[in-house]
Amino acid sequence: MMFDSFEAYDVQETRRVSREEGRIEGERAGRIEGEQLYLIKQVIKRIIKNISVSQIATDLLEPLDTIQPIYDLAMKQAPDYDAEKILKLLHTGKI
Protein backbone atom coordinates (compact mmCIF):
# COMPACT_ATOMS: atom_id res chain seq x y z
CA MET A 1 0.00 0.00 0.00
CA MET A 2 2.87 2.40 0.65
CA PHE A 3 4.00 2.31 -2.96
CA ASP A 4 0.59 2.62 -4.63
CA SER A 5 1.16 6.30 -5.45
CA PHE A 6 4.85 5.91 -6.32
CA GLU A 7 5.89 7.41 -9.66
CA ALA A 8 9.00 6.43 -11.59
CA TYR A 9 11.63 9.13 -11.22
CA ASP A 10 14.54 9.70 -13.60
CA VAL A 11 17.24 11.26 -11.44
CA GLN A 12 19.59 11.99 -14.35
CA GLU A 13 16.88 13.74 -16.35
CA THR A 14 15.85 15.80 -13.32
CA ARG A 15 19.46 16.89 -12.79
CA ARG A 16 19.85 17.80 -16.47
CA VAL A 17 16.68 19.90 -16.39
CA SER A 18 17.79 21.64 -13.19
CA ARG A 19 21.20 22.47 -14.66
CA GLU A 20 19.57 23.85 -17.80
CA GLU A 21 17.17 26.00 -15.76
CA GLY A 22 20.11 27.29 -13.70
CA ARG A 23 22.08 28.12 -16.83
CA ILE A 24 19.15 30.04 -18.31
CA GLU A 25 18.61 31.95 -15.07
CA GLY A 26 22.34 32.79 -14.91
CA GLU A 27 22.29 34.11 -18.47
CA ARG A 28 19.23 36.22 -17.69
CA ALA A 29 20.90 37.68 -14.58
CA GLY A 30 24.07 38.40 -16.55
CA ARG A 31 22.14 40.15 -19.28
CA ILE A 32 20.30 42.33 -16.75
CA GLU A 33 23.57 43.23 -15.02
CA GLY A 34 25.12 44.09 -18.39
CA GLU A 35 22.22 46.38 -19.21
CA GLN A 36 22.53 48.10 -15.84
CA LEU A 37 26.27 48.57 -16.32
CA TYR A 38 25.67 50.06 -19.76
CA LEU A 39 23.12 52.50 -18.29
CA ILE A 40 25.58 53.54 -15.57
CA LYS A 41 28.27 54.18 -18.18
CA GLN A 42 25.85 56.30 -20.21
CA VAL A 43 25.02 58.36 -17.13
CA ILE A 44 28.74 58.86 -16.40
CA LYS A 45 29.39 60.05 -19.96
CA ARG A 46 26.68 62.65 -19.60
CA ILE A 47 27.87 63.77 -16.16
CA ILE A 48 31.30 64.40 -17.67
CA LYS A 49 29.57 66.63 -20.24
CA ASN A 50 27.89 68.55 -17.36
CA ILE A 51 24.37 67.49 -18.31
CA SER A 52 21.78 67.78 -15.55
CA VAL A 53 20.23 64.70 -13.99
CA SER A 54 16.78 65.51 -15.35
CA GLN A 55 18.17 65.95 -18.86
CA ILE A 56 20.08 62.66 -18.54
CA ALA A 57 16.86 60.88 -17.63
CA THR A 58 15.12 62.46 -20.60
CA ASP A 59 17.97 61.62 -22.99
CA LEU A 60 18.13 57.99 -21.87
CA LEU A 61 14.34 57.60 -21.78
CA GLU A 62 14.51 56.41 -18.18
CA PRO A 63 12.51 57.60 -15.17
CA LEU A 64 14.27 60.11 -12.95
CA ASP A 65 13.96 57.75 -9.95
CA THR A 66 16.08 55.21 -11.88
CA ILE A 67 18.77 57.72 -12.87
CA GLN A 68 18.96 59.75 -9.65
CA PRO A 69 20.66 57.05 -7.48
CA ILE A 70 23.21 56.37 -10.24
CA TYR A 71 23.84 60.09 -10.62
CA ASP A 72 24.28 60.59 -6.86
CA LEU A 73 26.75 57.72 -6.53
CA ALA A 74 28.72 58.86 -9.56
CA MET A 75 28.94 62.42 -8.26
CA LYS A 76 30.43 61.11 -5.00
CA GLN A 77 33.20 59.49 -7.05
CA ALA A 78 33.98 62.46 -9.29
CA PRO A 79 36.27 62.69 -11.17
CA ASP A 80 37.32 59.01 -10.84
CA TYR A 81 34.10 57.32 -11.94
CA ASP A 82 33.91 53.53 -11.54
CA ALA A 83 30.83 51.98 -13.16
CA GLU A 84 31.47 48.56 -11.57
CA LYS A 85 31.65 50.09 -8.10
CA ILE A 86 28.45 52.05 -8.68
CA LEU A 87 26.70 48.85 -9.80
CA LYS A 88 27.83 47.04 -6.63
CA LEU A 89 26.65 49.91 -4.44
CA LEU A 90 23.27 49.93 -6.16
CA HIS A 91 22.88 46.19 -5.58
CA THR A 92 23.88 46.37 -1.91
CA GLY A 93 21.60 49.34 -1.30
CA LYS A 94 24.37 51.47 0.22
CA ILE A 95 23.49 54.79 -1.37
Side-chain angles (χ1 to χ4, degrees), residues 11-38:
V11 174
Q12 297 301 324
E13 177 64 14
T14 302
R15 286 181 182 164
R16 186 192 66 73
V17 168
S18 293
R19 276 193 305 272
E20 182 66 19
E21 288 172 352
R23 183 188 64 76
I24 291 169
E25 186 61 35
E27 288 175 359
R28 186 176 301 124
R31 187 171 34 254
I32 290 169
E33 187 171 305
E35 290 171 359
Q36 291 171 336
L37 195 56
Y38 178 77

Side-chain angles (χ1 to χ4, degrees), residues 48-62:
I48 292 169
K49 293 179 181 181
N50 292 319
I51 298 174
S52 70
V53 67
S54 59
Q55 186 60 47
I56 293 171
T58 301
D59 291 349
L60 297 176
L61 304 174
E62 293 286 341

